[in-house]
Amino acid sequence: MSCINGKFNPDDDIGPLIDVRVTPAEVIDLATHPVISESALIDTGATSTCISKKVVKSLGLRPTGMRNMGSTTHSSTPVNVYLVDLYIPFETSGHHIQSIQVMEFV
């Protein structure tokens, strides 16, 4: 059985974090394209996946469109949407999610 290894500190009020790798969508040769390793929050109540402006800039992503993003902390706001590949490492393997639509976190 696979296991996700992550970090959780109940004193941080953040939630459980896992390590993920992010690349531009449909990258075939990882040697010639950027790969970002970041900590990701597991939010079981989220309806979409978000990435930071730092990740967008580091990967040189171009928006594919815009969508409204709303949360408990702010009203609906139009944000950029991108296509990326996510890789979630497990103990000896991992899970690759190809061409997932993500929103830029504001």
Side-chain angles (χ1 to χ4, degrees):
M1 172 184 281
S2 296
C3 166
I4 296 177
N5 293 317
K7 301 171 255 181
F8 177 67
N9 182 348
D11 295 330
D12 287 341
D13 291 330
I14 292 176
L17 300 174
I18 60 169
D19 293 323
V20 297
R21 294 185 188 110
V22 185
T23 65
E26 301 180 12
V27 166
I28 300 199
D29 184 5
L30 294 178
T32 61
H33 287 82
V35 177
I36 303 294
S37 293
E38 287 288 335
S39 293
L41 171 68
I42 299 176
D43 184 350
T44 58
T47 57
S48 60
T49 299
C50 296
I51 59 174
S52 69
K53 290 180 183 185
K54 176 182 136 189
V55 171
V56 169
K57 185 176 179 181
S58 296
L59 292 175
L61 298 175
R62 295 178 188 245
T64 59
M66 296 191 83
R67 283 182 52 195
N68 285 327
M69 180 177 75
S71 74
T72 57
T73 59
H74 60 278
S75 61
S76 184
T77 305
V79 296
N80 289 323
V81 175
Y82 304 91
L83 282 179
V84 299
D85 288 353
L86 297 178
Y87 180 77
I88 303 169
F90 292 107
E91 292 174 340
T92 57
S93 62
H95 184 67
H96 190 195
I97 305 168
Q98 294 179 307
S99 296
I100 184 172
Q101 192 176 62
V102 297
M103 298 167 54
E104 187 172 3
F105 184 76
V106 291

